[in-house]
Amino acid sequence: MNKKTVYMDYAATTYTKPEVLEEMIPYFNQYFGNPSSIYSISRETKKAIDMSRDRVAKALNADRSEIYFTGGGSEADNWAIKGIAFAHKNKGNHIITTKIEHHAVLHTCEYLEKYHGFEITYLDVNEEGIISLEDLKNAITDKTILVTIMFGNNEIGSIQPIKEIGAICKEKNVFFHTDAVQAVGNVKVDVKDMNIDLLSLASHKFYGPKGVGALYIRKGIRIHNLVHGGGQEKARRAGTENVAGIVGMGKAIELATEDIEKHQSRILPLREKLIKGLLEIPHTRLNGPTGDKRLPGNVNVCFKFIEGESILLMLDAMGICASSGSACTSGSLDPSHVLLAIGLPHEIAHGSLRLTIGDGTTEEDIDYVLEKVPTIIQRLRDMSPLYDEFIKGDGK
């Protein structure tokens, strides 16, 4: 008998929707021409890329000329940060980010700091994982050229005050980049209203294919290229375009953003039910904010006295796909940098579980998880010397 599978890791990746795949298929075998060539089948691929550019632009309230296709969200982050840093180093060498960014941002900033002499300020966050706008204002100097702050956190779901950050950057004449990989398709994103200069996104987070993303670059911004070697993407990003992937992303972003409110109204009750049920397990805490300051599908909790890796293995044995944090650091034995940044001690941060829900999640899935998780937690605690010590003590 096949094991029941319940997918609860939509923040790591989503499935590709059938209607997205259907639109992609002709660009593998029928319209396979190189978009840089001039014959008719190539003109078809060029036309398809242009249509996808329009779809992405519409989803962000941008102009089509401001959308550049990349190989994913990490490439877009690298391009935005390195591109601005190198193009504007004559003005200054100071970049501001936060302690809870995705590693595509943190490692890029560390690279610039270590090898190119840039100064990086890593802003603290509060216990909900949200920055202080006052701290941001105080951190900006006459040498600051870029602020890069993620829209919504991939681990604990905290949504930053993006519009207010954008306004501060605009007033101070500093570029503002946001990694919106987790936000696009889940919450409303408007680059004009929010004063965003550069924005990264990735197709596979909103039911499109993997290996394709985009960088929004506001018109008029000077930025160095990251990838050299050809004239694609208006000579800003070399390499033959991933036509089928771009087509898929265009369709996926259209579907994901056509009715954000409807999406949220379905996901939010499931999230709240899951949170409520998990918090009924003794010695459990919710990580990150509540309400609309949290990404709709994100649930992140810590169970005291046990380790997250053990939870994941036992969940997998029961057919539940989950995570202890970012998919990009799943091989690491270190506790999450995000959980440490919100003030959790190492021993509690090690017991984290991230469950993220999406379009395929049903109420039956939530019920199944809430049936299995308490059993797993109790079994692991029964084997835990830490829990044994706690019980033998005063049990508080």
Side-chain angles (χ1 to χ4, degrees), residues 176-198:
F176 174 39
H177 164 251
T178 186
D179 173 347
V181 164
Q182 295 289 335
V184 173
N186 286 310
V187 293
K188 188 169 172 51
V189 178
D190 186 325
V191 292
K192 289 194 176 84
D193 180 58
M194 296 174 170
N195 294 302
I196 296 167
D197 295 309
L198 304 107

Side-chain angles (χ1 to χ4, degrees), residues 73-376:
S74 293
E75 183 194 324
D77 285 340
N78 272 260
W79 184 10
I81 297 166
K82 291 173 183 170
I84 290 294
F86 294 140
H88 298 274
K89 61 184 178 183
N90 291 338
K91 181 196 168 191
N93 69 337
H94 182 226
I95 294 169
I96 298 170
T97 188
T98 80
K99 291 180 178 177
I100 65 165
E101 298 297 308
H102 189 277
H103 282 118
V105 168
L106 291 178
H107 290 172
T108 301
C109 288
E110 287 164 15
Y111 163 80
L112 290 172
E113 196 171 22
K114 185 174 180 180
Y115 296 106
H116 295 278
F118 283 84
E119 291 180 18
I120 314 293
T121 295
Y122 299 90
L123 295 177
D124 287 317
V125 293
N126 64 18
E127 61 182 11
E128 292 187 327
I130 296 171
I131 67 153
S132 155
L133 293 172
E134 206 56 40
D135 286 354
L136 173 60
K137 285 179 190 171
N138 293 337
I140 296 174
T141 72
D142 58 356
K143 297 290 185 188
T144 307
I145 53 174
L146 176 68
V147 169
T148 174
I149 294 176
M150 71 191 334
F151 203 120
N153 186 266
N154 51 305
E155 291 193 35
I156 60 171
S158 48
I159 298 173
Q160 301 296 340
I162 293 296
K163 187 172 180 177
E164 291 80 358
I165 294 168
I168 290 167
C169 293
K170 188 176 182 182
E171 181 193 337
K172 300 282 189 180
N173 197 28
V174 171
F175 294 116
F176 174 39
H177 164 251
T178 186
D179 173 347
V181 164
Q182 295 289 335
V184 173
N186 286 310
V187 293
K188 188 169 172 51
V189 178
D190 186 325
V191 292
K192 289 194 176 84
D193 180 58
M194 296 174 170
N195 294 302
I196 296 167
D197 295 309
L198 304 107
L199 178 146
S200 306
L201 59 86
S203 164
H204 74 109
K205 304 295 188 180
F206 46 82
Y207 310 93
K210 295 170 183 61
V212 61
L215 179 64
Y216 156 78
I217 307 172
R218 184 173 54 76
K219 206 178 294 183
I221 287 181
R222 187 162 52 86
I223 183 169
H224 280 194
N225 290 358
L226 181 68
V227 181
H228 301 86
Q232 294 86 355
E233 294 301 287
K234 289 179 289 182
R236 280 191 152 174
R237 198 271 188 185
T240 301
E241 298 89 341
N242 173 6
V243 181
I246 289 168
V247 167
M249 179 167 69
K251 179 64 174 176
I253 203 168
E254 185 177 73
L255 293 172
T257 57
E258 63 188 357
D259 195 343
I260 292 279
E261 289 76 15
K262 184 180 177 185
H263 165 76
Q264 291 176 346
S265 68
R266 198 190 81 81
I267 295 291
L268 286 170
L270 295 176
R271 182 191 78 181
E272 294 307 301
K273 180 176 181 175
L274 184 56
I275 289 173
K276 183 173 181 292
L278 291 172
L279 292 181
E280 287 173 5
I281 301 169
H283 315 299
T284 302
R285 62 157 282 156
L286 178 69
N287 303 314
T290 56
D292 60 5
K293 289 194 286 185
R294 187 183 199 99
L295 289 170
N298 176 283
V299 177
N300 188 307
V301 292
C302 277
F303 303 103
K304 290 178 79 171
F305 315 114
I306 53 178
E307 291 196 353
E309 188 177 2
S310 304
I311 305 169
L312 296 183
L313 291 170
M314 293 183 79
L315 284 172
D316 182 48
M318 293 179 176
I320 299 168
C321 308
S323 165
S324 59
S326 169
C328 300
T329 56
S330 58
S332 171
L333 295 176
D334 295 326
S336 154
H337 69 286
V338 175
L339 297 182
L340 297 180
I342 64 173
L344 293 192
H346 278 66
E347 63 272 16
I348 294 179
H350 266 300
S352 67
L353 173 67
R354 183 186 72 177
L355 296 163
T356 46
I357 60 183
D359 284 3
T361 308
T362 64
E363 190 142 9
E364 290 73 27
D365 291 338
I366 303 294
D367 291 338
Y368 183 73
V369 170
L370 291 177
E371 175 196 335
K372 300 298 181 186
V373 171
T375 310
I376 290 171

